[in-house]
Amino acid sequence: QVQLVESGGGLVQAGGSLRLSCAASGRAFSTRGCGWFRQALGKEREFVGAIRGSSRYYADSVKGRFTISRDNARDTVYLQMNSLKPEDTAVYYCATLRLGSLIVTMPGLYDYWGQGTQVTISS
């Protein structure tokens, strides 16, 4: 199993930046694709981005503003969020992609999830 813990959320003004961290336990973590999702109050969980091997994927709503990276030596995946907008307000979750998955945008394709971290952007 893989255990994931998100951190780095908080309250920032529109236009600001945050970096979220997803710390993992488990030796196999570095071999897993990882995704970031977010869920705003009253809305469905939404794909934000993913990293798998050398490939990175982003939702159109965040492309050019958010960047996913990972540090395998520290078993940590990051989500750098720049130019934040009020509509980015949500609980952000990291998750590990199921082995063998060929697409990355659906929550059901991920097996292990963190508890989430709140990101609030004020206007």
Side-chain angles (χ1 to χ4, degrees), residues 47-95:
F47 174 74
V48 175
I51 182 168
R52 183 174 63 186
S54 61
S55 299
R56 294 172 174 83
Y57 310 86
Y58 300 97
D60 288 341
S61 59
V62 307
K63 193 170 186 178
R65 299 188 298 122
F66 291 10
T67 303
I68 295 173
S69 62
R70 72 189 305 165
D71 184 348
N72 287 330
R74 301 182 71 249
D75 287 337
T76 303
V77 174
Y78 303 96
L79 180 66
Q80 178 67 48
M81 305 187 295
N82 299 324
S83 301
L84 285 162
K85 306 174 181 179
E87 51 263 45
D88 295 320
T89 295
V91 176
Y92 283 71
Y93 300 88
C94 65

Side-chain angles (χ1 to χ4, degrees), residues 30-62:
S30 63
T31 70
R32 293 288 203 98
C34 295
W36 285 95
F37 290 78
R38 65 188 183 187
Q39 188 165 21
L41 191 64
K43 299 182 65 177
E44 293 185 349
R45 192 160 296 189
E46 174 190 19
F47 174 74
V48 175
I51 182 168
R52 183 174 63 186
S54 61
S55 299
R56 294 172 174 83
Y57 310 86
Y58 300 97
D60 288 341
S61 59
V62 307

